């Protein structure tokens, strides 16, 4: 019977060999893909055991990990939850969003930048701690934007974005309605689930960062892009006469565009008057004069149809139709920021910032520095140019027009005594009968040495339909944000 | 009989000293792991380390002393390997107890590890008793039919209303007061005895008499009938009890012993064909078999609640083992308690997570050692019954390890069996200790010098047991 016994022993050997090979495959070759599975809670739980780095605004943490005496060692806390939630996002047992997600490697301490720190911790047997992320946000501007937008009547849905034109730093980013990330970072997992459920089912979409994820028709604020295209065409400057009149009918159609009662003269009118009074007829006509192709080029030069924000996500791309054979009726609509034109508040802030910065649009960014747990700077973001949207001379012509729009036109609510402010209002048709128009406002200041560019978007607020106007409601908010920076 | 001529003139050494040395190493594993759990989870060496370590040492040393006295020529490697596995298992169960405690989850009042230590004590007692009572494994041959009947009765026990309990869909437990017992674990041993006893008597008839059909010499029905019937009954019971792992185990046992007894590889071919056919049939007939196969093929797909979370357990185990990587997270640094039944069927995933691939390979090698040592005993054994018994026990053991570890690591579909010596569970632990006692007894018989029948009784003085052997035969 020995021969079959030997055969059996070879067979057993093969069985055990298979077990060992399979275990090796599982624990060595497949390990990293298993670790990276988003449903693998172990990795998340392990991150609760390590002190996560802070997210800093100024020198104040807006998100930090505090020692906890329950089953996990640290509790993520948000000091000013509602004001910063759209930026920080939240760090929960189930998932992460915002900066918490994008900078997870740094905050959790896994980033290769923190290698030396980790090595030292390992040698000294210290529990390793994550690095900190310093945001570009200016706390005063953020507060002004948040308070201003929140002060509007009713349940506000809207957003404010402020940029530093010279660098592209995001100085303020507010989105309403907002939420309390502390509730999602809680260690009471059933309450986390129910909070998240409630937030994600809320029809007002509090989890949405409207500054970068909501794109709406920009309405009249888009007229500065149309104006930019017109001036870039070489036919106009700030002192030119542009087509005016009470009505404009694009070629080949009978769709009449009017000015809703604003004074836009007859025949040709001064460019300044057209922008001050936000003349639809003028900009619809200019758009057709420039042509669909050049209009698209100009919009894209400012960042439309492209992705440019790496520090936060997901980002909705602002849209401008690119069909060069667009019918004149639609081209006229794009000239006044309607039809298929849709922009995020960040995009409109970039339009203002580009003009403020002599035509150069800087790539917007939110993370200023990555710091070690000992607050040594490990990486500092260098400003980079996104595009040259218009020439410096066009920019200065546009600035003149926008200054006069604040001084003598619809953007007057943003005027700051003693400071030259450039701005433009917008009230965009939503295109739906039961949805009120959206109010927009973009501006920058001081006009001769711009420090800040702002975009305000009010998607919905407790304002009677016929009172909605970008200037009246958006202007004061933009003014408060600009003042916060200029002080 | 198959008395190898090479064995004549060669005298095995007793190697009891080597066994003692290996046992000290095994104790280091068990007690060291227990201490490591305390340090890793609570930051200090457990307060009861002396009492615990002392108890463990006492059990192991007692087993050693009994082996030294009643089975001096027994294989010196088996007991230390078993002691190491059992000690490691206890430490990991203790680790999970602590995790359940922090989770606030239900645990037995005294903890599973405490229970397991009691079971281990019982296991060692039965081990000792088996070695002392059973001076010659051939005695068991007398109980061929009794064992077969006993096995079937034991397998039927869970079907008795009021006594049987259904746990996780399988009706393979009986409950007496607070204790649950899996009679199948004991039936396993009895079935090996029955198969070996029957086949060794009928091996010639099975191998030689009969008709040749295509490639296979089919034995006469009256020769094969009884054992086939017994096998079918046990398999049938298991299928109705929905215990796939044990079905596979018994089928493998049947096949291996038949093959070894008849020395006809054709049985393996027929058996494999029958197995594949049976597997395909089971896949078609039984919904739960198809589900298990699908879950095995796409574990990550069935992980979510929206897909029924059918693969929650194996996927959590995979996550844990992946997270453990090569050297593991260390005791207390992983979350093995995330895997349901981590301390019984899935204990290997806990080891993989906290002690890493290194420990998993070590554990598999330990099992491999047990199996190959058992087969070695079968090889050198001088009687056919002993050979078959040792081979059968080795086969049951190897198949069980393969099925359970293969299931936990997603090599094969999950069937649900205990990991010998590691898993929490009294029936399994006790039965496996008895298996080791039987193997030691066989190896003792096999390795001891051939009694000099020509000499006077004086020569056999130092070896009175050897003399007894001859008497029994």
């Amino acid at each position: 019977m020995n021969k079959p016994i030997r055969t059996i022993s070879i067979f057993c050997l093969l069985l055990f060999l298979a077990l060992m090979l399979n275990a090796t495959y599982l624990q060595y070759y497949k390990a990293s893909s298993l670790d990276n599975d988003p449903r693998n809670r172990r990795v998340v739980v392990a991150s609760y055991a390590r002190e996560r780095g802070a997210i800093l605004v100024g020198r104040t943490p807006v998100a930090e990990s505090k020692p906890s005496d329950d089953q996990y060692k640290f509790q993520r806390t948000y000091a000013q939850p509602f004001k910063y939630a759209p930026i920080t996002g939240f760090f929960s047992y189930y998932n992460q969003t915002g900066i918490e997600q994008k900078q997870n490697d740094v905050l959790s301490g896994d980033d290769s930048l923190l290698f030396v720190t980790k090595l030292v911790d390992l040698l000294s047997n210290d529990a390793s701690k994550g690095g900190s992320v310093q945001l570009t946000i200016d706390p005063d501007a953020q507060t002004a934007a948040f308070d201003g937008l929140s002060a509007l009547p009713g349940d506000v849905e809207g957003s404010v974005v402020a940029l530093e034109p010279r660098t592209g730093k995001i100085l303020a980013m507010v989105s309403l309605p907002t939420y309390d990330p502390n509730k999602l970072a809680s260690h009471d997992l059933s309450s986390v689930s129910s909070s998240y459920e409630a937030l994600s089912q809320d029809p007002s979409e509090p989890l949405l960062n409207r500054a970068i994820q909501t794109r709406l028709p920009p309405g009249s604020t888009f007229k500065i892009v149309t104006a930019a295209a017109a001036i870039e065409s070489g036919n106009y400057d700030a002192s030119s006469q542009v087509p005016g009149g009470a009505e404009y009918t694009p070629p080949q159609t009978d769709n009449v565009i009017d000015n809703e009662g604003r004074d836009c003269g007859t025949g040709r009118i001064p460019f300044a008057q057209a922008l001050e009074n936000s003349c639809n007829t003028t900009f619809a006509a200019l758009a057709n004069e420039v042509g669909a192709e050049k209009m698209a080029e100009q919009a894209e030069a400012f960042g439309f149809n492209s992705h440019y924000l790496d520090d936060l996500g997901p980002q909705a791309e602002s849209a401008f139709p690119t069909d060069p054979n667009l019918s004149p009726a639609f081209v006229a609509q794009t000239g006044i920021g309607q039809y298929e034109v849709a922009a995020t508040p960040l995009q409109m802030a970039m339009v203002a910032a580009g003009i403020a910065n002599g035509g150069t649009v800087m790539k917007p960014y939110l993370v200023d520095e990555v710091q070690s747990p000992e607050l040594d700077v490990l990486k500092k973001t260098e400003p980079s140019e996104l595009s040259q949207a218009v020439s410096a001379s066009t920019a200065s012509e546009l600035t003149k027009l926008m200054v006069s729009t604040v001084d003598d036109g619809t953007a007057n609510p943003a005027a700051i005594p003693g400071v030259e402010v450039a701005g433009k209002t917008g009230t965009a048709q939503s295109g739906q009968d039961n949805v009120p128009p959206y109010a927009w406002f973009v501006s920058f200041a001081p006009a001769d040495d711009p420090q800040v560019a702002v975009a305000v978007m009010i998607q919905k607020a407790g304002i009677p339909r016929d009172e909605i106007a970008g200037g009246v409601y958006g202007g004061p908010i933009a003014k408060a944000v600009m003042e916060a920076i200029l002080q | 009989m198959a008395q190898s001529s090479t064995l004549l003139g060669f005298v095995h050494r007793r190697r009891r000293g080597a066994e003692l040395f290996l046992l000290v190493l095994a104790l280091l594993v068990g007690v060291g792991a227990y201490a490591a759990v305390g340090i890793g989870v609570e930051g200090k060496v457990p307060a009861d380390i002396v009492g615990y370590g002392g108890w463990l040492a006492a059990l192991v040393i007692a087993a050693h002393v009994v082996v030294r006295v009643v089975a001096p020529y027994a294989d010196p490697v088996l007991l230390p390997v078993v002691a190491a596995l059992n000690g490691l298992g206890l430490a990991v169960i203790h680790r999970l107890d602590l995790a359940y405690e922090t989770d606030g989850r239900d645990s037995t009042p005294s903890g599973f590890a405490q229970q397991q230590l009691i079971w281990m004590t019982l296991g060692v007692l039965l081990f000792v008793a088996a070695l002392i009572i059973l001076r010659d494994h051939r005695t068991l041959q007398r109980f061929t039919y009794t064992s077969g009947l006993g096995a079937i009765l034991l397998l039927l026990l869970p079907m008795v209303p009021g006594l049987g309990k259904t746990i996780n869909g399988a009706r393979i437990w009986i409950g007496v007061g607070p204790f649950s017992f899996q009679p199948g674990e004991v039936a396993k041993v009895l079935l090996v005895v029955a198969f070996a006893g029957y086949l060794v008597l009928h091996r010639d008839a099975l191998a030689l008499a009969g008709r040749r059909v295509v490639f296979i010499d089919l034995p006469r029905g009256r020769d094969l009938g009884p054992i086939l019937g017994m096998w079918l009954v046990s398999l049938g019971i298991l299928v109705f009890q929905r215990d796939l792992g044990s079905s596979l185990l018994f089928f493998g046992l049947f096949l291996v012993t038949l093959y070894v007894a008849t020395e006809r590889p054709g049985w393996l071919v027929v058996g494999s064909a029958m197995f594949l056919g049976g597997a395909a049939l089971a896949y078609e007939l039984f919904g739960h078999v198809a589900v298990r196969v699908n879950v095995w093929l796409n574990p990550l797909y069935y992980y979510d609640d929206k897909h029924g979370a059918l693969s929650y357990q194996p996927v959590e185990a995979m996550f844990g083992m992946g997270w453990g990587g090569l050297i593991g997270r260390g005791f207390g640094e992983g979350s093995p308690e995330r895997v349901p039944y981590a301390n019984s069927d899935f204990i290997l995933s806990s080891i993989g997570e906290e002690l890493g691939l290194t420990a998993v390979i070590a554990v598999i090698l330990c099992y491999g050692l047990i199996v190959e040592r058992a087969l070695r005993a079968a090889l050198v054994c001088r009687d056919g019954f002993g050979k078959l018994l040792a081979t059968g026990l080795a086969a049951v053991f190897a198949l069980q390890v393969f099925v359970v570890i293969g299931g936990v690591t997603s090599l094969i579909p999950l069937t649900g069996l205990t990991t010998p010596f590691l898993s929490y569970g009294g029936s399994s632990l006790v039965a496996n200790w008895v298996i080791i006692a039987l193997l030691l007894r066989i190896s003792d018989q096999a390795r001891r010098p051939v009694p000099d029948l020509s000499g006077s009784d004086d020569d056999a003085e130092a070896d009175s047991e050897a003399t007894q052997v001859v008497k029994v035969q």
Side-chain angles (χ1 to χ4, degrees):
Chain A
M1 286 191 265
N2 280 357
K3 191 169 170 291
I5 293 176
R6 285 183 213 280
T7 312
I8 295 294
S9 70
I10 302 275
F11 176 68
C12 290
L13 181 72
L14 292 178
L15 287 185
F16 284 101
L17 218 56
L19 287 181
M20 288 193 279
L21 285 176
N22 186 54
T24 310
Y25 167 71
L26 189 63
Q27 296 200 259
Y28 185 72
Y29 293 100
K30 213 177 165 192
S32 64
S33 84
L34 288 171
D35 285 354
N36 291 332
D37 192 303
R39 297 170 297 180
N40 190 343
R41 296 272 145 255
R42 283 176 172 76
V43 183
V44 185
V45 171
S47 61
Y48 275 72
R50 196 151 43 160
E51 184 170 359
R52 196 173 167 83
I55 300 176
L56 302 164
V57 167
R59 288 289 147 193
T60 320
V62 291
E64 62 184 322
S65 288
K66 291 183 172 163
S68 161
D69 49 10
D70 55 13
Q71 73 264 43
Y72 303 115
K73 286 187 187 143
F74 291 96
Q75 169 70 60
R76 196 69 168 162
T77 39
Y78 300 86
Q80 303 171 70
F82 297 103
K83 197 191 290 183
Y84 286 100
I87 302 172
T88 58
F90 59 84
F91 174 74
S92 92
Y93 184 80
Y94 301 101
N95 57 340
Q96 300 139 37
T97 60
I99 290 288
E100 294 277 29
Q101 179 201 41
K102 286 280 179 176
Q103 297 294 324
N104 186 40
D105 282 355
V106 169
L107 295 168
S108 67
D110 289 333
D111 198 279
S112 54
L113 285 172
L114 295 159
F115 177 74
V116 176
T117 316
K118 251 162 78 176
L119 198 66
V120 171
D121 287 339
L122 190 69
L123 294 177
S124 60
N125 207 18
D126 279 346
S128 68
K129 187 186 164 186
S132 296
V133 171
Q134 172 78 49
L135 300 182
T136 55
I137 298 291
D138 179 292
D140 295 333
Q142 182 79 2
T143 304
F146 183 76
D147 292 350
L149 199 58
S150 308
L152 292 175
D155 298 326
V156 185
E157 291 177 24
S159 170
V160 179
V161 176
L163 293 172
E164 187 173 78
R166 198 167 35 80
T167 57
K169 279 183 182 175
I170 298 173
L171 298 173
M173 180 181 275
V174 166
S175 173
L176 284 181
T178 177
Y179 62 96
D180 184 355
N182 287 311
K183 286 192 174 155
L184 299 176
S186 159
H187 290 173
D188 178 352
L189 298 183
S190 65
S191 93
V192 169
S193 294
S194 59
S195 299
Y196 185 80
E197 195 73 1
L199 286 170
S200 60
Q201 312 252 316
D202 189 329
S204 69
E205 300 184 281
L207 291 172
L208 206 61
N209 182 351
R210 286 172 158 75
I212 58 169
Q213 289 168 344
T214 299
R215 37 175 212 193
L216 300 170
S220 300
T221 52
F222 192 78
K223 285 170 183 164
I224 53 182
V225 178
T226 311
I231 297 171
E232 281 284 284
S233 72
N235 299 332
Y236 297 96
D237 62 27
S239 50
S240 301
Q241 296 284 313
V242 291
E247 287 186 348
Y248 170 71
T249 310
Q252 304 158 31
T253 64
D254 47 9
N255 294 339
V256 180
I257 291 174
D258 67 16
N259 294 313
E260 292 161 11
R262 296 186 296 272
D263 174 18
C264 294
T266 49
R268 292 183 88 83
I269 56 169
F271 210 154
Q273 184 193 348
L275 202 67
E276 282 164 17
N277 292 349
S278 199
C279 295
N280 292 339
T281 51
T282 304
F283 291 93
L286 282 178
N288 267 323
E289 235 175 74
V290 171
E293 207 168 342
K294 292 280 175 200
M295 282 295 289
E297 269 175 36
Q298 186 61 69
E300 290 188 344
F302 278 106
F304 280 81
N305 296 332
S306 67
H307 187 98
Y308 38 73
L309 183 66
D310 299 331
D311 290 344
L312 218 54
Q315 178 204 339
E317 283 183 9
S318 301
F320 190 91
T322 51
D323 178 8
N325 302 317
L326 203 62
S327 96
F330 291 140
V331 176
Q333 290 283 330
T334 65
I336 56 173
Q338 297 283 167
Y339 183 52
E340 282 177 0
V341 184
T344 60
L346 174 64
Q347 175 60 64
M348 291 320 291
M350 284 165 66
V351 170
I355 294 165
N357 194 36
T360 308
V361 180
M362 301 301 288
K363 189 175 154 73
Y365 64 99
L366 199 50
V367 174
D368 197 19
E369 288 173 5
V370 168
Q371 300 167 346
S372 73
E374 293 75 34
L375 302 180
D376 297 328
V377 177
L378 297 175
K379 191 173 90 180
K380 186 166 174 68
T381 311
E382 290 299 325
S384 66
E385 196 180 309
L386 185 72
S387 63
Q388 184 69 39
V390 291
S391 67
S393 63
T394 303
S396 92
E397 297 301 305
L398 284 168
T399 305
K400 281 183 211 162
L401 291 171
M402 288 172 71
V403 168
S404 73
T405 307
V406 173
D407 287 349
D408 304 316
T410 50
N412 190 258
I416 303 171
V419 179
E420 225 180 4
V421 178
K424 181 70 192 86
T425 60
T427 309
Q429 304 302 322
S430 61
Q432 294 155 276
D433 289 340
N434 53 346
V435 177
Y438 312 121
W440 285 87
F441 194 91
V442 299
S443 65
F444 61 88
D448 52 347
D449 175 25
Q451 300 296 314
V452 54
V454 190
V456 179
M457 181 277 286
I458 302 161
Q459 190 176 350
K460 190 182 144 200
I463 307 168
R465 192 182 176 102
D466 50 358
E467 282 180 30
I468 293 173
V472 180
Y473 293 98
I477 299 172
K479 177 185 174 186
V481 174
M482 290 187 291
E483 279 178 328
I485 295 291
L486 297 178
Q487 265 167 15
Chain B
M1 252 183 219
Q3 186 165 308
S4 172
S5 61
T6 53
L7 288 177
L8 293 175
F10 172 79
V11 178
H12 282 279
R13 289 164 62 199
R14 297 183 180 187
R15 310 297 311 239
R16 295 273 70 83
E19 181 181 77
L20 186 60
F21 173 70
L22 290 175
L23 274 174
V24 172
L25 293 186
L27 275 174
L28 277 180
V29 172
V31 181
Y34 189 75
V37 167
I39 294 170
V41 180
E42 294 173 316
K44 58 182 188 332
V45 175
D48 61 346
I49 185 80
V50 176
Y52 173 85
W55 187 247
L56 206 60
L59 283 178
V60 168
I61 299 299
H64 167 72
V65 168
V66 171
V67 170
R68 187 178 275 267
V69 173
V70 302
Y73 283 95
D75 189 297
V77 178
L78 280 172
L79 186 60
V81 169
V82 165
L85 285 173
N86 205 336
L88 179 66
L90 276 166
V92 175
I93 294 167
H94 177 58
R95 153 73 183 115
L96 286 163
D97 278 341
L98 295 177
Y100 294 149
E101 211 173 284
T102 15
D103 265 19
R105 239 190 273 177
D106 280 346
S107 180
T108 56
S110 51
F112 290 112
Q114 200 73 38
Q115 297 271 358
Q116 181 80 341
L117 194 58
I118 295 171
W119 282 115
M120 180 189 173
T121 310
L122 194 64
V124 172
L125 282 177
L126 283 175
F127 168 87
V128 165
L131 273 181
I132 291 177
I133 296 168
L134 189 72
R135 286 308 175 94
D136 186 334
H137 61 267
R138 280 169 290 185
T139 319
L140 289 176
Q141 202 174 345
R142 292 190 213 142
F143 302 104
T144 299
Y145 294 98
T146 325
S147 296
L149 194 65
I152 288 175
L153 284 179
L154 278 175
L155 286 172
L156 277 173
L157 268 185
M159 310 293 261
V160 176
L163 192 62
K165 290 204 290 191
T166 303
I167 303 180
N168 308 322
R171 197 174 173 86
I172 49 173
W173 273 269
I174 54 168
V176 182
F179 291 103
S180 304
F181 199 80
Q182 238 176 305
E185 293 283 351
V186 178
K188 194 166 75 182
V189 186
L190 294 180
L191 216 54
V192 178
V193 172
F195 280 11
Y198 184 85
L199 286 170
V200 79
L201 278 182
H202 297 81
R203 57 187 296 251
D204 292 335
L206 280 166
L208 302 174
R211 275 172 302 168
R212 190 176 181 87
V213 179
V214 198
F215 299 108
I216 310 299
D217 291 310
L218 281 184
R220 293 179 304 191
R222 60 176 160 178
D223 295 324
L224 192 59
I227 194 159
L228 197 64
M230 184 160 54
W231 167 67
L232 278 175
V233 168
S234 55
L235 216 57
I237 291 168
L238 288 173
V239 167
F240 291 120
Q241 290 171 349
R242 292 195 160 197
D243 185 4
L244 298 174
S246 300
S247 306
L248 184 63
L249 215 63
F250 288 4
F251 186 81
L253 168 69
F254 176 67
L255 216 58
V256 166
T257 40
L258 199 58
Y259 164 57
V260 173
T262 59
E263 303 197 31
R264 288 184 184 278
W267 283 115
L268 292 181
V269 178
V270 172
S272 305
M274 279 172 73
F275 174 74
L276 290 177
L281 201 67
Y283 183 88
E284 294 297 327
L285 287 183
F286 304 111
H288 62 280
V289 177
V291 166
R292 288 215 174 166
V293 172
N294 289 333
V295 164
W296 168 61
L297 290 174
N298 299 302
L300 290 168
Y301 176 79
Y302 287 102
Y303 177 71
D304 298 309
D305 275 338
K306 58 174 179 247
H307 300 115
L310 290 170
S311 68
Y312 181 78
Q313 191 180 24
V315 170
E316 275 299 335
M318 279 162 68
F319 281 160
M321 295 186 80
W323 182 233
L326 286 184
I327 55 167
R329 292 273 137 192
F331 277 128
E333 304 297 323
S335 24
E337 73 281 359
R338 294 188 58 83
V339 184
Y341 299 97
N343 60 9
S344 58
D345 290 12
F346 271 73
I347 197 157
L348 200 83
S349 80
S350 311
I351 294 175
E353 178 168 2
E354 298 212 321
L355 301 176
L357 177 65
T358 322
V360 169
I361 297 280
V363 165
I364 296 173
L365 283 176
C366 282
Y367 285 129
L369 268 179
I370 293 176
V371 171
E372 298 297 329
R373 282 277 155 177
L375 288 170
R376 193 185 166 87
L379 275 178
V380 297
C381 188
R382 286 185 281 257
D383 66 289
F385 176 70
K387 276 179 184 296
L388 272 181
L389 189 60
T391 312
L393 292 174
V396 161
F397 200 87
L399 283 174
Q400 176 156 2
V401 167
F402 179 75
V403 168
V404 67
I405 297 184
V408 169
T409 57
S410 296
L411 178 64
I412 56 170
L414 188 62
T415 48
L417 281 174
T418 54
T419 321
F421 299 109
L422 286 177
S423 288
Y424 170 75
S427 8
S428 159
L429 193 58
V430 169
N432 282 310
W433 271 104
V434 171
I435 288 179
I436 295 301
L438 292 180
L439 287 173
L440 284 180
R441 175 50 72 210
I442 297 168
S443 74
D444 175 55
Q445 293 286 343
R447 287 158 52 96
R448 86 177 34 189
V450 183
D452 186 0
L453 299 176
S454 60
S456 68
D457 275 3
D458 301 344
D459 293 342
E461 180 200 48
D463 231 335
S464 55
E465 280 87 12
T467 320
Q468 281 180 324
V469 169
V470 180
K471 278 186 225 155
V472 171
Q473 187 70 352

